[in-house]
Amino acid sequence: MAVHMGKPSTAGQTPGTEEPPDTGAQASSRGDRHRLTALQGLAALSLDAMASVAYGPESIVLVLAAAGAHGMGFTLPVTLAIAALLAVLVASYRQVIAAFPDGGGSYAVAKRHLGRRTSLVAAASLILDYVLNVAVSVTAGVAALTSAFPELYGERVWICLGVLVLVTAVNLRGVVDSAKAFLVPTAVFVGSILAMVVVGLFRDGPVSTASAAGHASALGEGATAVGALLLLKAFAAGCSALTGVEAVANAVPSFRAPAARRAQRTEVALGALLGVMLIGLSVLIGRFHLQPVEGVTVLAQLADASFGHSLAFYVVQFATMVLLALAASTSYGGLPVLMSLLARDNHLPHVFALKADRQVHRHGVVWLALVSGVLLVLSGGDTNTLVPLFAIGVFVGFTICQVGMVRHWYGERPEGWQTKAVLNGFGALLTGVSATVVTATRFTEGAWLIVLAFEKVHRAYTEIGERLELGRIPQAPRRSRSLVVVPVSGLSRLTCQALTAARSLGDEVLAVTVAHPSPEDRPAAEALLRDWELWKPGVRLVELSSETRSLGRPVSGFVRELARTHPDAQVTVLIPETEPARLWQRMLQNQRGSVVAHAIRRDTDAVICRLRFRITVDAR
């Protein structure tokens, strides 16, 4: 793919006209109209992070619930620790934005400072993150819906798959939502969460518990102490709310100039909003003495407790569902692009680098939908089954990025680099410890398999390149004798056209037909030989016998023997086939050509040429 730079686009101009040359200011202004402001960037790039508010606090509560009511008292301290880590990550990613203004996040940092293998680990974690983002967002959105309408809970898997199909169909059509379109749902969601927190702080107790009524409690009993391991697990589980914090650093070039400064402001605003919402929700959980129940989200219970079972309750659930659906859609924009980059570097099949007519990486979109669908079915549409796996992409990506930035500051050594390196090193330590506690086993079983797959694909492409002598000047081409084999089953206009094409391609043409020695088949074979002699096309017809009535193997055996006896000749098999105009009429045709082509490809090195003879059949 060639990239032409230095010449402004002329798309949209009237043919035969030319615009006056832009000044630098005019060109910059015109390009900035297609880039993000800080506010638009907050809406377009914060969906993953904002949506994680729907399941992050719930992940903490579910872990602490194992220690009963005593454990639930640690919800706020664990959340404050997560908020502290969030502050460290925001400060760190501000440094990443300044150091890597071309974007790329953890993948770009690792590729420059930690080597190819580590960059593949970062890519693997990003792939897991993207896939799980779709599955978690869809299940969490449907959970918000079923919390408002409990009668739908039994059908949640089918609803999840329906939402997945809808989001996939939209992305296959190449529909790219602008940042302005994201502003409204993001503002409604953030506004409703903040309003719920503010209103809840003025409540002495829950206004309503109707949403949780009749549902089994998930609270453990009998525990009187909370161990350090449980707190670490709760901390690591709650850190799933930090997914998406790196999205701004990945897309710095999408901002208006000065891009790095706007991206840094967006990163800070994202961290501040996310931190306030997480801490506010945690305070409400303790204030209302909330207990996790099966089938109802923590967010739904908090909305019920703050607003009552009123219109505001349904607004929160609807806003949550819409934002989560949009958050799932962002993976369809990110993962196919990442897979295309990996394909160009020979770490994934090259088909993932292809684009459809609508400039969509269709194979990446379909692959993402299929894997996400499998996760939805295996998890039973349960968000809490998927969220622990989310820590894989979150922690591994964060840790690699922080370690890479330490290497960056040590190598560059600008003014104050020691302080910046300590900040990144502290962030790497925190995320690394959390990853070790919860995700070490899963990462070994998951992301490393993806890395090994990358390596195997890369090795295969390397071997193919060596065999093809890519990058080297090949020998001068030479002309060799050409033998063309044409399989025939009878005399027709198709046979005539096939032999005409074959004689124009090769020095020598041989027609072959497969005959069966049974009494009922011999008359047809003898008739073909007799008619061939009368026709006299100037091409010898060779009869091949097949005891088992197979078609492909006798032809491939003949071609293989021909190649052995004529080692200096190029053998080509020209397969004539009819192609009716209508699709349903093509289903009426036999598959003799496909059978022969498959056998030739499997058993020989001959060139296969399939001659299509288009015909129009009257359907009346």
Side-chain angles (χ1 to χ4, degrees):
M1 179 179 294
V3 179
H4 303 282
M5 301 182 67
K7 184 178 180 180
S9 173
T10 57
Q13 295 182 23
T14 305
T17 66
E18 210 173 90
E19 290 188 355
D22 289 328
T23 64
Q26 288 174 331
S28 176
S29 175
R30 183 166 299 172
D32 275 351
R33 289 203 301 267
H34 302 286
R35 297 183 186 274
L36 301 172
T37 64
L39 182 61
Q40 291 171 346
L42 185 63
L45 301 173
S46 67
L47 293 178
D48 288 355
M50 296 297 182
S52 64
V53 172
Y55 48 79
E58 184 162 3
S59 300
I60 300 173
V61 167
L62 286 173
V63 174
L64 293 177
H70 185 66
M72 294 293 294
F74 287 86
T75 301
L76 182 57
V78 170
T79 304
L80 290 175
I82 293 172
L85 176 58
L86 173 62
V88 173
L89 289 174
V90 168
S92 174
Y93 273 106
R94 287 185 78 254
Q95 297 181 173
V96 173
I97 291 169
F100 292 85
D102 293 331
S106 59
Y107 183 64
V109 175
K111 192 172 183 180
R112 181 184 298 182
H113 294 294
L114 300 177
R116 185 179 66 87
R117 180 65 63 84
T118 307
S119 71
L120 291 182
V121 175
S125 68
L126 284 172
I127 287 178
L128 289 174
D129 198 1
Y130 277 128
V131 173
L132 286 166
N133 176 57
V134 174
V136 170
S137 296
V138 170
T139 56
V142 172
L145 178 67
T146 56
S147 295
F149 303 98
E151 61 273 13
L152 298 177
Y153 184 76
E155 306 297 328
R156 63 190 183 281
V157 174
W158 291 108
I159 298 175
C160 286
L161 293 176
V163 172
L164 178 65
V165 169
L166 179 62
V167 174
T168 303
V170 169
N171 283 276
L172 281 175
R173 290 186 59 83
V175 177
V176 181
D177 295 311
S178 66
K180 293 180 180 179
F182 288 142
L183 278 172
V184 174
T186 304
V188 171
F189 177 79
V190 173
S192 63
I193 296 297
L194 294 178
M196 182 177 68
V197 171
V198 172
V199 171
L201 290 176
F202 287 95
R203 303 288 191 191
D204 294 328
V207 177
S208 170
T209 58
S211 61
H215 293 268
S217 174
L219 199 65
E221 296 180 359
T224 58
V226 178
L229 182 58
L230 185 67
L231 291 176
L232 282 174
K233 286 185 176 180
F235 173 80
C239 280
S240 60
L242 303 182
T243 180
V245 173
E246 78 287 353
V248 177
N250 290 338
V252 179
S254 300
F255 286 87
R256 294 183 184 180
R261 190 177 305 167
R262 289 183 186 273
Q264 287 178 326
R265 287 202 292 264
T266 301
E267 186 74 54
V268 172
L270 170 59
L273 276 176
L274 185 56
V276 168
M277 288 192 291
L278 288 174
I279 294 173
L281 293 176
S282 178
V283 170
L284 291 188
I285 290 171
R287 188 178 185 84
F288 295 139
H289 304 289
L290 183 143
Q291 296 183 8
V293 298
E294 296 179 5
V296 180
T297 66
V298 168
L299 197 61
Q301 292 187 65
L302 290 177
D304 203 13
S306 294
F307 295 130
H309 217 68
S310 61
L311 178 62
F313 168 81
Y314 291 98
V315 169
V316 173
Q317 302 314 303
F318 181 75
T320 302
M321 183 182 66
V322 171
L323 193 79
L324 286 164
L326 292 177
S329 184
T330 58
S331 287
Y332 285 92
L335 179 58
V337 174
L338 174 63
M339 295 178 73
S340 71
L341 295 176
L342 290 167
R344 292 179 199 173
D345 291 338
N346 293 335
H347 296 301
L348 284 178
H350 290 170
V351 69
F352 287 111
L354 301 179
K355 283 187 176 182
D357 294 339
R358 296 177 181 268
Q359 295 301 300
V360 177
H361 294 285
R362 182 173 296 170
H363 294 89
V365 170
V366 172
W367 182 89
L368 174 58
L370 291 176
V371 176
S372 300
V374 171
L375 287 176
L376 290 174
V377 172
L378 293 179
S379 67
D382 182 18
T383 306
N384 299 314
T385 302
L386 296 168
V387 166
L389 300 177
F390 220 165
I392 296 173
V394 175
F395 286 127
V396 173
F398 284 164
T399 305
I400 288 176
C401 187
Q402 305 308 306
V403 173
M405 287 303 297
V406 172
R407 291 284 300 272
H408 173 78
W409 298 128
Y410 184 77
E412 299 289 333
R413 301 196 179 191
E415 184 178 354
W417 70 272
Q418 295 95 336
T419 302
K420 297 176 179 179
V422 168
L423 176 63
N424 290 124
F426 182 59
L429 178 64
L430 290 179
T431 55
V433 169
S434 300
T436 302
V437 170
V438 176
T439 64
T441 302
R442 288 191 178 98
F443 183 72
T444 302
E445 296 173 353
W448 274 108
L449 293 179
I450 299 178
V451 175
L452 292 177
F454 288 161
E455 291 289 2
K456 188 166 185 177
V457 171
H458 185 72
R459 192 180 305 116
Y461 276 125
T462 300
E463 293 175 357
I464 292 172
E466 291 175 353
R467 292 290 300 273
L468 295 177
E469 297 184 356
L470 296 179
R472 286 180 261 172
I473 299 177
Q475 298 179 353
R478 58 184 179 86
R479 190 184 186 283
S480 60
R481 183 186 175 204
S482 178
L483 298 177
V484 182
V485 177
V486 182
V488 298
S489 58
L491 294 185
S492 65
R493 183 179 174 186
L494 177 63
T495 308
C496 178
Q497 289 216 350
L499 294 181
T500 300
R503 296 186 70 169
S504 66
L505 291 175
D507 300 313
E508 181 179 349
V509 178
L510 293 173
V512 297
T513 184
V514 179
H516 309 292
S518 59
E520 60 268 24
D521 292 327
R522 281 311 306 167
E526 292 172 355
L528 175 59
L529 294 174
R530 184 172 57 253
D531 293 341
W532 196 273
E533 290 295 327
L534 295 174
W535 184 33
K536 298 186 184 300
V539 174
R540 182 164 65 95
L541 176 64
V542 179
E543 180 181 312
L544 305 176
S545 179
S546 174
E547 298 287 344
T548 60
R549 291 183 175 272
S550 64
L551 181 63
R553 288 190 182 278
V555 177
S556 65
F558 175 79
V559 171
R560 194 166 54 247
E561 179 64 20
L562 199 63
R564 188 186 65 81
T565 55
H566 299 79
D568 296 329
Q570 175 62 62
V571 180
T572 300
V573 180
L574 189 146
I575 303 172
E577 297 175 294
T578 58
E579 186 174 283
R582 300 177 186 275
L583 179 62
W584 70 269
Q585 293 169 346
R586 297 175 195 174
M587 298 173 61
L588 304 178
Q589 303 297 118
N590 60 48
Q591 302 300 316
R592 294 169 61 91
S594 298
V595 171
V596 173
H598 175 73
I600 297 297
R601 183 179 298 108
R602 179 192 60 209
D603 300 333
T604 75
D605 294 325
V607 175
I608 300 173
C609 179
R610 302 181 76 165
L611 176 66
R612 304 284 186 176
F613 181 64
R614 300 182 183 276
I615 57 176
T616 302
V617 178
D618 191 348
R620 291 177 299 176

